[in-house]
Amino acid sequence: MEPAHPADRVPSEPVPTSPAPTGEPALVEPTGETALVEPAGAGRAEASVPREPSATDPVDPPAPPPAVEARRSDRSPKDMAISLLVLLIPIALLLAFYRGFLGGDQATPVDPAPAIEQARSANAFPVSEPAGLGDGWRTVTARYQTVDDGSSLRLGYLTPEGQGAQLVQSNVPAERLLPSELTEKAQPQGQTDLAGRNWQRYTARANEQAFVLLEPNRTVIVVGDARESELRQLAGSLR
């Protein structure tokens, strides 16, 4: 038998290899199987324990808050108009009920008798009282008042047409009473006879007119924004 060729022989025992010099990787002779080589330092990384942060560690700045986008209204003008209409309808119904059924915006009638009796008891001047005005006239104010230079009886009326008229009887001197009741620009506009008495027509405040009766111991004024015919009726009813 011929001796095997040195190149075909397989050593019966592995040939020991010399250790690799320090700092150089060891040369592993392939054996036909894939060698699993663990990276250097892997074991140390797994075995490491996380440490607590210290005060000297750099602190990351806080993240800025997310930007809030301005929300734009998605409601159209038509939707806003409908919403407003829904609010106004109940208000209109309440006002209609208040005025139509509860008598809103209407002055509350008062009894003028106590104020008239007080003026007569004071006996400061002759006191006249309207008579025969009819049911359409309503007394809404009645007051007797004493001032430094005299006293006055005021009766306020709401006419059948819903306008205002006031009857003033006073012993305050006319030169002081007329400017305070009719403004300082009040001027006589001529005379007129009402129920047998001689009245003076006077200008008054805007959209008002007046009738004035000048007597020795009292002055009577009928003034208001009512029509002239209603003011004449009130002045002529005094008894």
Side-chain angles (χ1 to χ4, degrees), residues 81-161:
I82 293 176
S83 301
L84 183 61
L85 185 62
V86 170
L87 293 175
L88 291 179
I89 288 177
I91 296 176
L93 292 176
L94 289 175
L95 288 176
F97 178 79
Y98 173 71
R99 293 179 177 179
F101 295 93
L102 301 181
D105 295 341
Q106 295 182 6
T108 303
V110 300
D111 182 10
I116 294 175
E117 182 61 28
Q118 185 181 3
R120 286 175 175 167
S121 299
N123 199 25
F125 52 84
V127 177
S128 299
E129 185 178 355
L133 284 178
D135 297 336
W137 289 78
R138 288 177 293 173
T139 307
V140 294
T141 60
R143 183 179 62 179
Y144 176 74
Q145 183 180 14
T146 300
V147 293
D148 293 339
D149 51 357
S151 55
S152 300
L153 172 64
R154 300 175 183 275
L155 303 177
Y157 296 90
L158 197 62
T159 71
E161 295 185 1

Side-chain angles (χ1 to χ4, degrees), residues 27-35:
L27 298 178
V28 179
E29 188 174 323
T31 60
E33 295 181 0
T34 304

Side-chain angles (χ1 to χ4, degrees), residues 13 30 41 136 190:
E13 293 181 1

Side-chain angles (χ1 to χ4, degrees), residues 175-189:
E175 61 270 15
R176 298 190 58 182
L177 180 66
L178 294 181
S180 64
E181 299 292 336
L182 307 179
T183 75
E184 296 180 354
K185 298 181 179 180
Q187 297 294 330
Q189 301 296 310

